[in-house]
Structure formats: C-alpha cells, structure tokens
Amino acid sequence: MSKLPNVTTSIFATMSKMAKEYNAINLAQGFPNFAVDEKLANIVAEVVKKDVHQYLPIAGYQPLISKIAKLILDSYQRKVLPETEILVTTGATQALFTTISALIKTDDEVIILDPSFDNYEAPTLLCNAKAIRVELNDDYSPNWERIEKVITSKTRMLIINSPHNPTGKVWKENDFLALENLLEKYPRILLLSDEVYEFITFEEKHISIHSRKKLVDRSIIVSSFGKSFHITGWRIGYLVAPDYLMKEIKKVHQYLVFSVNSLAQAAISDYTDVVSVEELGKFYQEKRDYFRKLLQNSRFELMPCEGTYFQLVSYASISDENDVGFCKRLVVEYGVAAIPISTFYADGKDLKLIRFCFAKDNKTLEEAAKRLCTV
C-alpha cells in the first residue's frame, strides 16, 4: 500500500519531459541555462586537487559554516553560533524534508499556505501528520484571519515562503508584525521559513526571519547556494535553527545523507571570498525587466514580480482552457514550456495563470517571447 497514494510525477518533471520531446524552450523548471561563473569553475579545478574527497563532519565543511555565519551577520545582523546552529544540506529540498521528519510527529498538523511548493506536503504526510492547506489572499499576501481559524491544539508548524514560489511575492513588514503577534499566542507552533530566493528581490527588499528577534528561537530557516550561485545541480543548501531544534534535525540528517558533497562545499567556501550576493538582485531584475519588455506586445497579462526568477502571466483573455491543458498545448503548438499554477493548490484552483522562469540567457528569452507573442 502506498504511503503517498495521491502523489504522482511532479508537474515540473512532466513539463520538462514534454519540452524535451517537442524540442520546446523550457521556461517551466526553475534552473538557469547560462554558464556558471568562470571564477567558480576555476576554483573547482583547483579544489579538486586538494584533500577534500572524503566524508566531512555531519554539520558540514567548517570553513563554509563559518562563512555562512558571516553571511548571515552581514546580511541580517544576526549572530549565529557556527558550532550548533548551522547545517549544510543536500539542497533546500533535503533541508525541508529533514526538518519536517525530525520535528513533526503522528497526528501533528502543519499549516501550508497555498499556492505552495510541492516539497512541503509529502514529508508531512510521511510523518503521518496532517497538512492543513490555507489559501493566501488574492495578492498572495498572508490572510492571518484565515490562518488563525485553522489553528488547533494539534498545530505544530507553520511553513512560510518569501520571496514566494511560484508568485514572486515578497512579504512586507506588516506581514511579519502580524506573524509575530499570531505566534505569540501559540507558543507550541514552530516556524519553518523557506528563504531560498532571499537574495533575488527587486524593488521590495527581502525581510528575513533572521532579523526577527521574537521568532528566531522557534524558527528553522532554509537557504540555497544552488539558487544564489546559479548552480542548482550541485544540490547544496543550508538551514539555521536554535540548538534545541538542531539536535533533533541532525539526528535525521546523519541517517539520511550523513554528510554533504565535500568538493562542492569546499568550492563554495572559496567562492564566497570572491563573489557578492548583493549583485544577485540587480542581475535578475535586469532579466525580469527584459523579459517583461519582450512580452509587452503579447496577449498575456503580466502579474507583479517582486522577487525570485519567476514571472506569472494570465492567459484569461486568450483561452478558456484549464491551465494544465493550456500549458501542454503551449508546448506542442508554440514550443514553450511553462508551469500551471493550479498544481500549487490543494484543490487545483484554476485562475488561468501560468509561471515562466526567466533565469535564462537573453537569446533564449528572446526566442521564447517571439513564440509567445504569436499565441
């Protein structure tokens, strides 16, 4: 009997497979198609000659952990204890899975805000816990009244995600003040904050849980070098949590992966000495603006994009098809792959919205836009 009877092949794998079959431009899956930074490639070539090929400590490569602590201090003015509060993980996906597996028990309830990334629910269900899906407001801000209504004595965790995948929404100061007020009333609830796009924001700057003194002692914060450094295939992320939670998380981590790729950790550690994450937002803002300009003569309606490298568009004025069908037809007839937003909702809510990834070189964006302007 399946432990995940309702889980099938992810929409990301489905659309990428179709893109390959029809030789379409893949703006569906969220990965860059441009070359890795030459400085990073050169560092890898040097690091591979060093003695970094065996198991590392469970928590990670010590020089990298120290640099993560410095990055958090420089970015958010939070002092994190490198020895006990940082864990390097096999991507943010493993960080999320390990955290939920370690801290959620049978019959616990985990609140997930829709539209939501699909990696939140599966580990919750594998813990024999219940995923409580709550819709965000129409502008994708949190609806605190709706959230509080579903809190019960069994509620153990709230998962938040800003900058938000798939919508590109960035939470504001008022959202975090409301979050603090809410959680103050429910001391049992842990907060899992998915911040993998933390350095990819535009007009609105990212507010991290790292900067919320009222919340850090009950929060697990997940970050991603893969997203920040355009190396999604390296599968390197990290999480930060107070010691009492980290001890439990590490118990699962040691049996799930034990330690993370040593060569990649050493290379990233050296790379952080020669690169600044401060430039990342500017880089992707130029991508966003260029892609939006290319689509301005299309029939798609462009939704706001405050962060991440995803652009939502409405096709409501083009077709009455459901979004999954429209995305499949877009691949077959126009040679461009996108992600239907209904798949991010528990009830498959269809708002005639689809998601494009603009983390592509300009040539790819130009050709994709040319095709989309004929739809």
Side-chain angles (χ1 to χ4, degrees):
M1 182 181 293
S2 174
K3 296 183 74 173
L4 297 170
N6 297 320
V7 174
T8 57
T9 303
S10 76
I11 190 64
F12 307 101
T14 298
M15 297 313 301
S16 290
K17 182 173 182 289
M18 284 191 69
K20 188 173 182 179
E21 289 174 352
Y22 289 91
N23 196 29
I25 297 172
N26 190 353
L27 301 189
Q29 203 162 2
F31 61 84
N33 75 334
F34 39 81
V36 69
D37 186 350
E38 186 177 357
K39 288 183 286 188
L40 180 55
N42 291 337
I43 286 171
V44 173
E46 291 302 313
V47 167
V48 76
K49 302 172 187 176
K50 300 179 181 179
D51 183 20
V52 292
H53 299 283
Q54 309 308 325
Y55 295 129
L56 290 173
I58 287 174
Y61 183 54
Q62 191 55 51
L64 177 59
I65 290 176
S66 297
K67 289 172 183 178
I68 290 171
K70 184 178 185 302
L71 176 62
I72 293 169
L73 180 63
D74 292 345
S75 301
Y76 307 117
Q77 294 71 58
R78 179 189 178 190
K79 291 184 178 180
V80 176
L81 298 176
E83 301 82 7
T84 59
E85 297 182 332
I86 298 173
L87 177 66
V88 180
T89 59
T90 307
T93 299
Q94 188 243 313
L96 295 165
F97 188 97
T98 303
T99 296
I100 294 170
S101 299
L103 303 177
I104 299 303
K105 299 180 176 64
T106 297
D107 294 330
D108 280 347
E109 294 177 352
V110 176
I111 298 175
I112 299 171
L113 307 180
D114 280 357
S116 60
F117 191 46
D118 59 358
N119 279 357
Y120 305 149
E121 185 172 56
T124 300
L125 298 177
L126 288 170
C127 292
N128 294 314
K130 187 175 182 180
I132 308 297
R133 307 283 286 269
V134 179
E135 284 191 19
L136 295 165
N137 289 319
D138 291 344
D139 67 350
Y140 304 115
S141 61
N143 187 311
W144 296 111
E145 181 179 352
R146 198 179 293 159
I147 293 168
E148 186 164 15
K149 280 184 178 179
V150 303
I151 293 176
T152 72
S153 60
K154 294 183 178 181
T155 305
R156 180 57 173 157
M157 180 178 286
L158 168 64
I159 303 178
I160 67 172
N161 174 212
S162 176
H164 186 246
N165 177 19
T167 69
K169 180 73 173 182
V170 174
W171 283 22
K172 311 302 188 291
E173 175 67 18
N174 285 344
D175 299 319
F176 289 96
L177 290 173
L179 173 63
E180 289 169 348
N181 291 335
L182 177 69
L183 293 187
E184 188 175 11
K185 294 189 283 185
Y186 302 97
R188 182 177 183 270
I189 299 177
L190 299 174
L191 182 66
L192 176 53
S193 184
D194 178 352
E195 302 187 20
V196 298
Y197 298 100
E198 62 191 306
F199 300 116
I200 309 178
T201 59
F202 313 128
E203 291 82 8
E204 298 285 347
K205 293 304 178 184
H206 172 60
I207 298 174
S208 174
I209 294 299
H210 285 299
S211 66
R212 314 307 296 196
K213 292 182 180 180
K214 293 182 179 180
L215 297 175
V216 289
D217 288 340
R218 62 199 295 185
S219 298
I220 307 92
I221 302 163
V222 174
S223 297
S224 169
F225 284 121
K227 299 293 191 300
S228 297
F229 294 151
H230 327 303
I231 47 172
T232 60
W234 285 34
R235 309 303 294 150
I236 300 289
Y238 58 95
L239 64 82
V240 176
D243 182 48
Y244 78 100
L245 295 176
M246 185 64 83
K247 285 178 179 176
E248 299 305 311
I249 293 168
K250 284 180 178 177
K251 290 177 184 178
V252 176
H253 178 81
Q254 71 175 334
Y255 292 113
L256 188 62
V257 298
F258 180 72
S259 63
V260 177
N261 186 292
S262 58
L263 176 61
Q265 288 195 67
I268 290 173
S269 179
D270 288 353
Y271 186 55
T272 59
D273 294 331
V274 299
V275 69
S276 171
V277 293
E278 299 301 321
E279 297 299 313
L280 196 60
K282 180 181 177 182
F283 172 81
Y284 276 117
Q285 185 167 349
E286 291 175 357
K287 290 283 184 189
R288 179 202 67 173
D289 293 348
Y290 187 55
F291 186 54
R292 289 173 69 92
K293 182 179 179 181
L294 291 170
L295 289 179
Q296 66 184 359
N297 292 324
S298 74
R299 293 198 290 161
F300 292 100
E301 179 186 357
L302 299 171
M303 301 292 106
C305 175
E306 299 171 345
T308 76
Y309 43 57
F310 301 119
Q311 174 66 59
L312 286 196
V313 303
S314 170
Y315 65 89
S317 64
I318 299 174
S319 172
D320 290 329
E321 293 169 90
N322 65 61
D323 60 359
V324 175
F326 182 81
C327 281
K328 289 180 177 180
R329 186 165 68 86
L330 202 61
V331 172
V332 175
E333 296 184 10
Y334 297 94
V336 180
I339 295 292
I341 299 304
S342 67
T343 58
F344 292 83
Y345 285 93
D347 62 359
K349 185 176 182 179
D350 185 1
L351 298 170
K352 305 293 185 268
L353 294 171
I354 62 177
R355 190 196 79 176
F356 293 122
C357 173
F358 55 80
K360 310 296 177 183
D361 59 43
N362 285 357
K363 182 180 178 182
T364 300
L365 295 178
E366 288 161 8
E367 180 57 32
K370 180 181 177 182
R371 299 180 187 187
L372 292 171
C373 283
T374 67
V375 177

